């Protein structure tokens, strides 16, 4: 079973402020980790970076459970899901049971999936053992990355205290679908994935964790 590392704290906000992000990508930099990395990523992705539909997902370098660096734009060229949650968030846990099964159901369409966990049950940075026991192992996550937020990166993605926040991002890193709180259901997310992929309905062929 893969392991996750502790996450730095994420501050609560009452709105969705704008933050400054690094908009450039060094195409000559060597990116290495255990997941898909685009070989033809551009030096710069055009568009306004932000967390709303129509924005380009902000570029960030986040620490993964295995101490590797995950680059948010490494999924260039593929449709992917950005899933932000916390250990205290019951709806996040319910949705996490579907992470691996959703990934596998759309594997033939090259869907990618990223999970970001920001707090433990007390609202503090979670320990490695908490992440392993209460997320990675509990939700049978083996193939998709679970990464740590470094503090300010996802702050603007999180309106007030509402979680989960789930985005469906297209091949050019543009957010096409955004689901927050009660709208972040497996049914809605799958429908959004299919729409962004431009495919018809895909049956649930893989069992969710614990079901």
């Amino acid at each position: 079973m893969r392991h996750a590392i502790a996450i730095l704290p994420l501050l609560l906000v009452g709105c969705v402020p704008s933050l400054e992000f690094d908009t450039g990508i060094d195409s000559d930099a060597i990116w290495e980790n255990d997941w898909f990395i685009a070989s033809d990523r551009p030096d710069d992705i055009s568009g306004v970076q932000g967390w709303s539909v129509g924005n380009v997902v902000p570029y960030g370098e986040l620490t993964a459970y295995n101490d590797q660096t995950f680059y948010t734009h490494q999924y260039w060229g593929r449709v992917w899901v950005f899933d932000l949650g916390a250990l205290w968030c019951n709806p996040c846990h319910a949705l996490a049971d579907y992470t691996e099964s959703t990934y596998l159901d759309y594997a033939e369409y090259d869907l990618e999936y990223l999970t970001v966990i920001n707090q433990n049950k007390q609202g503090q940075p979670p320990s490695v053992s908490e992440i392993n026991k209460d997320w990675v192992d509990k939700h049978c996550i083996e193939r998709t990355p679970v990464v740590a937020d470094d503090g300010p990166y996802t702050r603007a993605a999180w309106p007030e205290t509402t979680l989960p926040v789930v985005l469906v991002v297209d091949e050019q890193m543009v957010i096409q679908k955004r689901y927050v709180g009660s709208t972040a259901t497996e049914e809605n997310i799958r429908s959004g994935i299919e729409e962004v992929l431009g495919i018809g309905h895909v049956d649930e062929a893989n069992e969710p964790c614990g079901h």
Side-chain angles (χ1 to χ4, degrees), residues 18-183:
S18 60
L19 297 180
E20 293 297 325
F21 297 100
D22 179 7
T23 59
I25 301 174
D26 182 0
S27 61
D28 294 324
I30 299 175
W31 290 359
E32 294 180 335
N33 55 45
D34 288 345
W35 305 284
F36 170 80
I37 297 177
S39 60
D40 59 346
R41 65 185 186 276
D43 288 324
D44 190 22
I45 298 177
S46 62
V48 177
Q49 295 199 31
W51 297 105
S52 299
V53 171
N55 289 160
V56 171
V57 170
Y59 176 71
E61 298 180 3
L62 306 177
T63 305
Y65 62 80
N66 55 5
D67 245 352
Q68 296 178 356
T69 300
F70 182 90
Y71 310 88
T72 54
H73 287 183
Q74 71 179 61
Y75 282 165
W76 171 266
R78 294 195 174 182
V79 173
W80 59 288
V81 176
F82 177 102
D83 185 349
L84 174 63
L87 295 183
W88 52 259
C89 171
N90 289 331
C92 302
H93 280 286
L95 188 62
D97 280 341
Y98 293 88
T99 297
E100 288 283 297
S101 60
T102 298
Y103 171 76
L104 292 172
D105 283 346
Y106 296 95
E108 66 177 289
Y109 302 102
D110 293 330
L111 178 77
E112 301 293 343
Y113 206 111
L114 171 67
T115 302
V116 180
I117 307 301
N118 55 49
Q119 293 181 346
N120 65 13
K121 294 177 181 178
Q122 290 73 44
Q124 300 299 317
S127 67
V128 172
S129 60
E130 286 175 318
I131 292 294
N132 293 333
K133 177 183 176 182
D134 296 330
W135 200 274
V136 177
D137 290 347
K138 181 177 182 179
H139 300 300
C140 314
I141 296 176
E142 299 180 348
R143 300 171 182 84
T144 61
V146 178
V147 304
D149 175 44
D150 61 1
Y153 177 71
T154 59
R155 190 176 304 157
W158 188 7
E160 300 178 350
T161 59
T162 305
L163 287 174
V165 175
V166 180
L167 313 174
V168 182
V169 186
D170 71 15
E171 297 92 332
Q172 284 75 47
M173 294 290 125
V174 177
I175 299 169
Q176 297 294 341
K177 301 290 180 181
R178 177 184 171 94
Y179 306 101
V180 179
S182 61
T183 67

